[in-house]
Amino acid sequence: MTAAPPLPHRRIAVALDRDPYEVVIGDGCLQETGKALLQAGVREGRQILVVSNPDVAELYGATCLESLKHHGFKTELLLIEAGEQHKTPATVAQIHDAAFQHRLERSSLMLALGGGVVGDMTGFAAATWLRGIGVIQVPTTLLAMVDASIGGKTGVNHPGGKNLIGAFHQPQLVLIDPATLASLPIREFRAGMAEVIKYGVLGDPNLFELLEACPEPNHPAGLGSELLETLLERSCAEKARVVAADEREGGLRAILNYGHTFGHVVETLCGYGTWLHGEAVAIGMVAVGELAVQRGSWSRELADRQRQLIERIGLPSRWPSLNDQAVLTTLQGDKKVRDGKLRFVMPRGVGKVEIRDDISREEILRCLEALKS
Ligand code: GLY
């Protein structure tokens, strides 16, 4: 088969020194999955194990598989349970079993069709099968589109903590079809928007202003398909920029944790499942914004703009009623603690953040007091 002409979609380069790849965004591009793989350099005839969950597969599995077959790929489909509670080595073993059963070779690939849990586990299974085979990420949730699918973090949970078992394994292609967001529950869509706001604050003021200017940013139809694609493109570009600069999180990549330190506290102390991850991040961004205002490194005006945007999207902004000592203890247990020092990603403007490890317990307690009022 001759090389297919380029797809008329938005494309973002993840410019890694070794094995760079593209994020392709386009309404309806799921129907062109096979063509997109050829464009990404995957050879016709390769065997592809598509991993999905029953709900996503029912909606989008046939479209994806038909396109792959149409372009000459051999396909197998594996359905796994995809809630956070299933993000375990046992589920990855199911993917390995399917790889064995279907005799996947070094030249075969896995394709993750679904949200972040499917993507993380499929990525990890691909990283470990035959010491590493290719993986394609086709995210169908907003959170997975703008965060989990890009950057190569793969893994599963251990009873001792989330994502403690994993590997860096970059995909060969990330294919994003915004049309799949139509079936996403609105609460999950809004939770994903927290990460979009995050990218605005940490690196892209224009993205932040685009959201502020939108009269109805709290649902996909209110944004409209053009703006939604632009938000996806700019968020993915921001993620790609950071990952390309620091693939293994030696330094800069930690800025992607903006809002996540306090967010992690909210998730842990309110009980996993009370708040979605993105909702906890939204609360966390408001909290760290207050911390920055109190230190004099961020203006009240910018903190208010951030909070108003979070609220207009329909995300929670209020700090929950939590015991301060428990908050401090949980912060100390955060993965991002280094040499006993708490590390916070602090806003410096809109489009600029800095990592600080000189925040005292007293400052945190003062901030928590202010958040209660
Ligand atoms: N989700 C944060 C990262 O990819 O580094």
Side-chain angles (χ1 to χ4, degrees), residues 147 153 239 249 253 256:
D147 185 20
K153 280 190 181 175
K239 173 105 194 213
E249 202 162 325
R253 187 162 174 168
L256 297 173

Side-chain angles (χ1 to χ4, degrees), residues 4-11 22 24-26 28-40 71 173 175:
L7 301 166
H9 296 313
R10 303 186 192 216
R11 314 174 85 87
E22 276 190 329
V24 175
I25 305 170
C29 69
L30 194 65
Q31 292 166 34
E32 298 170 287
T33 308
K35 191 167 169 182
L37 260 69
L38 293 175
Q39 298 277 316
H71 286 88
L173 167 73
L175 187 66

